[in-house]
Amino acid sequence: MKFNAFDYISPSIDDVKKLLFPFSLGKWMKLGFVSLLAYSGGNSGFNTPKANFGGSNSSSMSRSMNDITGDAIKGTKDSLGILYYIVFPIILLFIIFGFIMTYVTSVFSFIFIESLVKKEVLIKKSWQNCKSMGFSFFLFRVVIGLMVLGAIVLALLPLIIPLVQQGVTAYFENFSIWNIAWIIPIFILLILFIIIISIFTTLVYNFSMIHMYYKKIPAWASIKSTFSKMSKAKLPVFIFLLANFVISIASVFFAVILFLILLIPMLIIAIPFTLIFVWLIITFGWTTSIIVGMVIVSILFLIFLIYVFSVIFLPMTTFSRYFSIRNYKELMK
């Protein structure tokens, strides 16, 4: 099986032209909304095997970890005071919101694929078609997210434990270069791990996800099937990764230019609101209602800005997906 990913750049551009032109504002706005959620960024715990090390060492280690945990919680409570009972519920709400958004964006990733394949945007119908695949991909994202988080925590554990045991002041008073000597090899290993995970998730996103859509199978079954194919086409897959990297660089360049172009009109829109809030602050002071109003308006303006950006950026997002679809079809022959 031999194919060159670069050969599919021109056909993918033709696919974009057929989808987006002649220009239809309604279609662009709906597809921009889908792409915004599809390209938005994504975490529950899993059971780990319990090892019995036996003897007093195990008991001592358990007591030591309990002391560390207890000290950390007590220190946090003492530092935050009453805010401790406010901050943690807010953090919990953010975690729950993160899970919900991870699921929603997972489903919309497949809605985006379906919109490109069928060349029409039917969000409600596509949600029904794609929600089971989205849930399967959501679970995959949770597992990968936990793996990355676990690797980072393990890498930082030699720093966190003495920091909690000694306290910040004592730790830095006794600080020496040997305290961070372990960082260099662990940091290198962590970077290598993240690179491997990034390559893996890139291949999953560009091949396994599309395979899931066409075959209507769960994420892990799709990954097993597509990676089996890719293992027999190592050079073409490497060329695809190279082409994908070039496209990503071009996308970033295009995004920066687009941002700079949008910056001027967005500043023109933002200036009147800023002047109104400045006048309100000078007249009434920093009241709660004014602060809340500023926060709400700022969030809504930011969401509007991101949405406008995603609509204008559609040629690049649709091209990138068409490019992976064409390469997938060749790979899976």
Side-chain angles (χ1 to χ4, degrees), residues 155 158-159 162 171 175-189:
L159 172 65
Y171 179 82
F175 184 81
S176 70
I177 192 65
W178 298 109
N179 290 82
I180 59 170
W182 57 270
I183 288 181
I184 296 174
I186 291 180
F187 181 74
I188 292 171
L189 289 174

PDB file of all heavy atoms in Angstrom, residues 155 158-159 162 171 175-189:
ATOM      1  N   ALA A 155       5.897  12.911  37.725  1.00  0.00           N
ATOM      2  CA  ALA A 155       7.141  13.640  37.463  1.00  0.00           C
ATOM      3  C   ALA A 155       7.392  14.699  38.542  1.00  0.00           C
ATOM      4  O   ALA A 155       8.543  14.966  38.903  1.00  0.00           O
ATOM      5  CB  ALA A 155       7.078  14.302  36.092  1.00  0.00           C
ATOM      6  N   PRO A 158       8.495  14.034  43.386  1.00  0.00           N
ATOM      7  CA  PRO A 158       9.685  14.292  44.215  1.00  0.00           C
ATOM      8  C   PRO A 158       9.804  15.747  44.664  1.00  0.00           C
ATOM      9  O   PRO A 158      10.506  16.038  45.629  1.00  0.00           O
ATOM     10  CB  PRO A 158      10.849  13.918  43.283  1.00  0.00           C
ATOM     11  CG  PRO A 158      10.250  12.983  42.299  1.00  0.00           C
ATOM     12  CD  PRO A 158       8.855  13.466  42.080  1.00  0.00           C
ATOM     13  N   LEU A 159       9.161  16.659  43.970  1.00  0.00           N
ATOM     14  CA  LEU A 159       9.157  18.065  44.389  1.00  0.00           C
ATOM     15  C   LEU A 159       8.012  18.341  45.352  1.00  0.00           C
ATOM     16  O   LEU A 159       8.187  19.045  46.360  1.00  0.00           O
ATOM     17  CB  LEU A 159       9.026  18.977  43.168  1.00  0.00           C
ATOM     18  CG  LEU A 159       8.817  20.475  43.442  1.00  0.00           C
ATOM     19  CD1 LEU A 159      10.038  21.066  44.136  1.00  0.00           C
ATOM     20  CD2 LEU A 159       8.525  21.208  42.148  1.00  0.00           C
ATOM     21  N   PRO A 162       8.480  16.733  49.428  1.00  0.00           N
ATOM     22  CA  PRO A 162       9.284  17.520  50.382  1.00  0.00           C
ATOM     23  C   PRO A 162       8.744  18.932  50.588  1.00  0.00           C
ATOM     24  O   PRO A 162       8.892  19.503  51.668  1.00  0.00           O
ATOM     25  CB  PRO A 162      10.678  17.554  49.742  1.00  0.00           C
ATOM     26  CG  PRO A 162      10.469  17.236  48.310  1.00  0.00           C
ATOM     27  CD  PRO A 162       9.278  16.334  48.262  1.00  0.00           C
ATOM     28  N   TYR A 171      11.613  24.764  52.838  1.00  0.00           N
ATOM     29  CA  TYR A 171      12.112  24.083  51.632  1.00  0.00           C
ATOM     30  C   TYR A 171      13.092  24.963  50.883  1.00  0.00           C
ATOM     31  O   TYR A 171      14.168  24.518  50.486  1.00  0.00           O
ATOM     32  CB  TYR A 171      10.940  23.693  50.727  1.00  0.00           C
ATOM     33  CG  TYR A 171      11.369  23.014  49.449  1.00  0.00           C
ATOM     34  CD1 TYR A 171      11.660  21.657  49.417  1.00  0.00           C
ATOM     35  CD2 TYR A 171      11.499  23.734  48.260  1.00  0.00           C
ATOM     36  CE1 TYR A 171      12.062  21.026  48.250  1.00  0.00           C
ATOM     37  CE2 TYR A 171      11.907  23.114  47.074  1.00  0.00           C
ATOM     38  CZ  TYR A 171      12.178  21.760  47.074  1.00  0.00           C
ATOM     39  OH  TYR A 171      12.581  21.152  45.921  1.00  0.00           O
ATOM     40  N   PHE A 175      17.250  24.935  50.181  1.00  0.00           N
ATOM     41  CA  PHE A 175      17.297  24.593  48.758  1.00  0.00           C
ATOM     42  C   PHE A 175      18.740  24.546  48.237  1.00  0.00           C
ATOM     43  O   PHE A 175      19.575  25.370  48.599  1.00  0.00           O
ATOM     44  CB  PHE A 175      16.508  25.628  47.954  1.00  0.00           C
ATOM     45  CG  PHE A 175      16.419  25.328  46.486  1.00  0.00           C
ATOM     46  CD1 PHE A 175      15.485  24.430  46.016  1.00  0.00           C
ATOM     47  CD2 PHE A 175      17.282  25.932  45.582  1.00  0.00           C
ATOM     48  CE1 PHE A 175      15.403  24.145  44.656  1.00  0.00           C
ATOM     49  CE2 PHE A 175      17.206  25.658  44.229  1.00  0.00           C
ATOM     50  CZ  PHE A 175      16.249  24.750  43.766  1.00  0.00           C
ATOM     51  N   SER A 176      19.030  23.525  47.421  1.00  0.00           N
ATOM     52  CA  SER A 176      20.336  23.426  46.755  1.00  0.00           C
ATOM     53  C   SER A 176      20.106  22.905  45.341  1.00  0.00           C
ATOM     54  O   SER A 176      19.011  22.468  44.986  1.00  0.00           O
ATOM     55  CB  SER A 176      21.268  22.473  47.512  1.00  0.00           C
ATOM     56  OG  SER A 176      20.809  21.144  47.376  1.00  0.00           O
ATOM     57  N   ILE A 177      21.157  22.944  44.557  1.00  0.00           N
ATOM     58  CA  ILE A 177      21.045  22.512  43.165  1.00  0.00           C
ATOM     59  C   ILE A 177      20.646  21.050  43.065  1.00  0.00           C
ATOM     60  O   ILE A 177      20.012  20.615  42.101  1.00  0.00           O
ATOM     61  CB  ILE A 177      22.395  22.756  42.416  1.00  0.00           C
ATOM     62  CG1 ILE A 177      22.196  22.594  40.898  1.00  0.00           C
ATOM     63  CG2 ILE A 177      23.462  21.808  42.939  1.00  0.00           C
ATOM     64  CD1 ILE A 177      21.276  23.620  40.284  1.00  0.00           C
ATOM     65  N   TRP A 178      20.981  20.254  44.111  1.00  0.00           N
ATOM     66  CA  TRP A 178      20.639  18.826  44.082  1.00  0.00           C
ATOM     67  C   TRP A 178      19.142  18.596  44.242  1.00  0.00           C
ATOM     68  O   TRP A 178      18.637  17.524  43.927  1.00  0.00           O
ATOM     69  CB  TRP A 178      21.410  18.081  45.179  1.00  0.00           C
ATOM     70  CG  TRP A 178      22.901  18.168  44.975  1.00  0.00           C
ATOM     71  CD1 TRP A 178      23.804  18.864  45.708  1.00  0.00           C
ATOM     72  CD2 TRP A 178      23.644  17.548  43.916  1.00  0.00           C
ATOM     73  NE1 TRP A 178      25.070  18.735  45.190  1.00  0.00           N
ATOM     74  CE2 TRP A 178      25.002  17.924  44.086  1.00  0.00           C
ATOM     75  CE3 TRP A 178      23.307  16.717  42.846  1.00  0.00           C
ATOM     76  CZ2 TRP A 178      25.999  17.489  43.225  1.00  0.00           C
ATOM     77  CZ3 TRP A 178      24.303  16.290  42.001  1.00  0.00           C
ATOM     78  CH2 TRP A 178      25.627  16.670  42.184  1.00  0.00           C
ATOM     79  N   ASN A 179      18.441  19.630  44.766  1.00  0.00           N
ATOM     80  CA  ASN A 179      16.991  19.499  44.897  1.00  0.00           C
ATOM     81  C   ASN A 179      16.294  19.372  43.543  1.00  0.00           C
ATOM     82  O   ASN A 179      15.200  18.819  43.455  1.00  0.00           O
ATOM     83  CB  ASN A 179      16.406  20.709  45.634  1.00  0.00           C
ATOM     84  CG  ASN A 179      16.793  20.731  47.094  1.00  0.00           C
ATOM     85  OD1 ASN A 179      17.872  21.169  47.446  1.00  0.00           O
ATOM     86  ND2 ASN A 179      15.899  20.251  47.949  1.00  0.00           N
ATOM     87  N   ILE A 180      16.940  19.926  42.501  1.00  0.00           N
ATOM     88  CA  ILE A 180      16.313  19.880  41.180  1.00  0.00           C
ATOM     89  C   ILE A 180      17.126  19.047  40.184  1.00  0.00           C
ATOM     90  O   ILE A 180      16.844  19.050  39.000  1.00  0.00           O
ATOM     91  CB  ILE A 180      16.114  21.306  40.607  1.00  0.00           C
ATOM     92  CG1 ILE A 180      17.459  22.042  40.501  1.00  0.00           C
ATOM     93  CG2 ILE A 180      15.128  22.097  41.442  1.00  0.00           C
ATOM     94  CD1 ILE A 180      17.361  23.340  39.729  1.00  0.00           C
ATOM     95  N   ALA A 181      18.137  18.316  40.701  1.00  0.00           N
ATOM     96  CA  ALA A 181      18.967  17.507  39.796  1.00  0.00           C
ATOM     97  C   ALA A 181      18.145  16.429  39.096  1.00  0.00           C
ATOM     98  O   ALA A 181      18.425  16.064  37.951  1.00  0.00           O
ATOM     99  CB  ALA A 181      20.110  16.870  40.582  1.00  0.00           C
ATOM    100  N   TRP A 182      17.119  15.917  39.794  1.00  0.00           N
ATOM    101  CA  TRP A 182      16.281  14.861  39.224  1.00  0.00           C
ATOM    102  C   TRP A 182      15.373  15.377  38.109  1.00  0.00           C
ATOM    103  O   TRP A 182      14.840  14.602  37.322  1.00  0.00           O
ATOM    104  CB  TRP A 182      15.407  14.248  40.324  1.00  0.00           C
ATOM    105  CG  TRP A 182      14.565  15.283  41.017  1.00  0.00           C
ATOM    106  CD1 TRP A 182      14.890  16.004  42.114  1.00  0.00           C
ATOM    107  CD2 TRP A 182      13.265  15.734  40.618  1.00  0.00           C
ATOM    108  NE1 TRP A 182      13.889  16.879  42.441  1.00  0.00           N
ATOM    109  CE2 TRP A 182      12.867  16.735  41.531  1.00  0.00           C
ATOM    110  CE3 TRP A 182      12.404  15.395  39.584  1.00  0.00           C
ATOM    111  CZ2 TRP A 182      11.657  17.392  41.449  1.00  0.00           C
ATOM    112  CZ3 TRP A 182      11.191  16.049  39.494  1.00  0.00           C
ATOM    113  CH2 TRP A 182      10.821  17.027  40.417  1.00  0.00           C
ATOM    114  N   ILE A 183      15.197  16.727  38.058  1.00  0.00           N
ATOM    115  CA  ILE A 183      14.224  17.301  37.124  1.00  0.00           C
ATOM    116  C   ILE A 183      14.624  17.055  35.672  1.00  0.00           C
ATOM    117  O   ILE A 183      13.775  16.754  34.828  1.00  0.00           O
ATOM    118  CB  ILE A 183      14.057  18.818  37.374  1.00  0.00           C
ATOM    119  CG1 ILE A 183      13.296  19.048  38.675  1.00  0.00           C
ATOM    120  CG2 ILE A 183      13.321  19.490  36.213  1.00  0.00           C
ATOM    121  CD1 ILE A 183      13.062  20.500  39.012  1.00  0.00           C
ATOM    122  N   ILE A 184      15.913  17.182  35.363  1.00  0.00           N
ATOM    123  CA  ILE A 184      16.360  17.127  33.968  1.00  0.00           C
ATOM    124  C   ILE A 184      16.007  15.794  33.301  1.00  0.00           C
ATOM    125  O   ILE A 184      15.330  15.780  32.267  1.00  0.00           O
ATOM    126  CB  ILE A 184      17.862  17.424  33.854  1.00  0.00           C
ATOM    127  CG1 ILE A 184      18.136  18.871  34.320  1.00  0.00           C
ATOM    128  CG2 ILE A 184      18.345  17.235  32.415  1.00  0.00           C
ATOM    129  CD1 ILE A 184      19.595  19.242  34.401  1.00  0.00           C
ATOM    130  N   PRO A 185      16.430  14.627  33.860  1.00  0.00           N
ATOM    131  CA  PRO A 185      16.060  13.358  33.188  1.00  0.00           C
ATOM    132  C   PRO A 185      14.553  13.112  33.181  1.00  0.00           C
ATOM    133  O   PRO A 185      14.009  12.612  32.183  1.00  0.00           O
ATOM    134  CB  PRO A 185      16.791  12.287  34.015  1.00  0.00           C
ATOM    135  CG  PRO A 185      17.101  12.936  35.321  1.00  0.00           C
ATOM    136  CD  PRO A 185      17.296  14.383  35.025  1.00  0.00           C
ATOM    137  N   ILE A 186      13.857  13.447  34.291  1.00  0.00           N
ATOM    138  CA  ILE A 186      12.407  13.237  34.344  1.00  0.00           C
ATOM    139  C   ILE A 186      11.697  14.160  33.358  1.00  0.00           C
ATOM    140  O   ILE A 186      10.730  13.756  32.696  1.00  0.00           O
ATOM    141  CB  ILE A 186      11.876  13.446  35.783  1.00  0.00           C
ATOM    142  CG1 ILE A 186      12.379  12.319  36.679  1.00  0.00           C
ATOM    143  CG2 ILE A 186      10.348  13.504  35.793  1.00  0.00           C
ATOM    144  CD1 ILE A 186      11.934  12.399  38.104  1.00  0.00           C
ATOM    145  N   PHE A 187      12.193  15.393  33.238  1.00  0.00           N
ATOM    146  CA  PHE A 187      11.602  16.347  32.295  1.00  0.00           C
ATOM    147  C   PHE A 187      11.768  15.839  30.866  1.00  0.00           C
ATOM    148  O   PHE A 187      10.839  15.927  30.064  1.00  0.00           O
ATOM    149  CB  PHE A 187      12.270  17.714  32.463  1.00  0.00           C
ATOM    150  CG  PHE A 187      11.705  18.771  31.559  1.00  0.00           C
ATOM    151  CD1 PHE A 187      10.464  19.338  31.808  1.00  0.00           C
ATOM    152  CD2 PHE A 187      12.421  19.206  30.442  1.00  0.00           C
ATOM    153  CE1 PHE A 187       9.944  20.316  30.976  1.00  0.00           C
ATOM    154  CE2 PHE A 187      11.907  20.174  29.602  1.00  0.00           C
ATOM    155  CZ  PHE A 187      10.663  20.735  29.872  1.00  0.00           C
ATOM    156  N   ILE A 188      12.934  15.294  30.547  1.00  0.00           N
ATOM    157  CA  ILE A 188      13.179  14.747  29.201  1.00  0.00           C
ATOM    158  C   ILE A 188      12.229  13.583  28.922  1.00  0.00           C
ATOM    159  O   ILE A 188      11.620  13.492  27.847  1.00  0.00           O
ATOM    160  CB  ILE A 188      14.647  14.306  29.053  1.00  0.00           C
ATOM    161  CG1 ILE A 188      15.574  15.528  29.069  1.00  0.00           C
ATOM    162  CG2 ILE A 188      14.851  13.513  27.752  1.00  0.00           C
ATOM    163  CD1 ILE A 188      17.046  15.187  29.136  1.00  0.00           C
ATOM    164  N   LEU A 189      12.078  12.682  29.912  1.00  0.00           N
ATOM    165  CA  LEU A 189      11.167  11.544  29.758  1.00  0.00           C
ATOM    166  C   LEU A 189       9.722  12.015  29.597  1.00  0.00           C
ATOM    167  O   LEU A 189       8.964  11.454  28.796  1.00  0.00           O
ATOM    168  CB  LEU A 189      11.280  10.611  30.966  1.00  0.00           C
ATOM    169  CG  LEU A 189      12.572   9.788  31.078  1.00  0.00           C
ATOM    170  CD1 LEU A 189      12.610   9.027  32.398  1.00  0.00           C
ATOM    171  CD2 LEU A 189      12.683   8.820  29.897  1.00  0.00           C
TER     172      LEU A 189
END
